[in-house]
Amino acid sequence: MLSGLDHLVVTVTDMGRAVDFYSRVLGLDVRYRDAQRVDLMLGDTALRLHQTDTDIAPVSATPTPGSLDLCLRCQLPLDEFKQHLDALAIDVELGPVARQGANGAIESIYLRDPDGNLLEICRPAAR
């Protein structure tokens, strides 16, 4: 029946700050849909940003900045990605640590976006 994820909505308090973080820090491509919606592209999937003070309907029952816990796959080795974060003065909360992903063993680091959402950045574990 279902075949994948098209987009996931991330509620943010400041659109400009969120776009800057996700594009500059995580390297996501930005697509402006209109004045109130921005898509951050992950291949053919989007993280769609909605700012809290905009009138977009329908939305979840309680759209809340900082409530997301999201795991994103990284193409770089995690030590290189961590060096990138260090150069941008982005704190790593935890990792690298061994975890279990959707398709097997992964290695992850954890950080937070400007709204406090937990972002897990992962790579398949070395065998």
Side-chain angles (χ1 to χ4, degrees), residues 3-124:
S3 62
L5 181 65
D6 182 79
H7 68 276
L8 175 72
V9 175
V10 181
T11 303
V12 301
T13 56
D14 182 314
M15 185 73 75
R17 186 176 68 167
V19 167
D20 176 67
F21 176 85
Y22 281 94
S23 62
R24 184 176 53 87
V25 176
L26 300 184
L28 302 185
D29 291 328
V30 180
R31 290 189 188 164
Y32 291 90
R33 293 174 40 81
D34 57 39
Q36 297 178 333
R37 287 179 287 225
V38 176
D39 287 350
L40 302 162
M41 301 307 298
L42 288 160
D44 64 353
T45 302
L47 294 181
R48 182 160 295 160
L49 302 180
H50 286 186
Q51 190 165 302
T52 54
D53 60 357
T54 58
D55 188 24
I56 297 174
V59 296
S60 63
T62 53
T64 308
S67 64
L68 186 66
D69 184 339
L70 182 64
C71 183
L72 303 170
R73 292 185 198 116
C74 186
Q75 295 176 340
L76 295 175
L78 287 185
D79 60 336
E80 286 183 36
F81 188 74
K82 188 172 179 318
Q83 290 172 4
H84 165 73
L85 295 174
D86 290 344
L88 296 173
I90 303 295
D91 291 330
V92 171
E93 201 164 296
L94 179 67
V97 293
R99 294 289 190 250
Q100 186 66 30
N103 296 299
I106 58 175
E107 184 179 42
S108 300
I109 59 174
Y110 293 84
L111 60 139
R112 295 196 183 267
D113 77 358
D115 286 295
N117 292 302
L118 182 63
L119 303 176
E120 178 181 355
I121 311 298
C122 77
R123 289 263 308 166

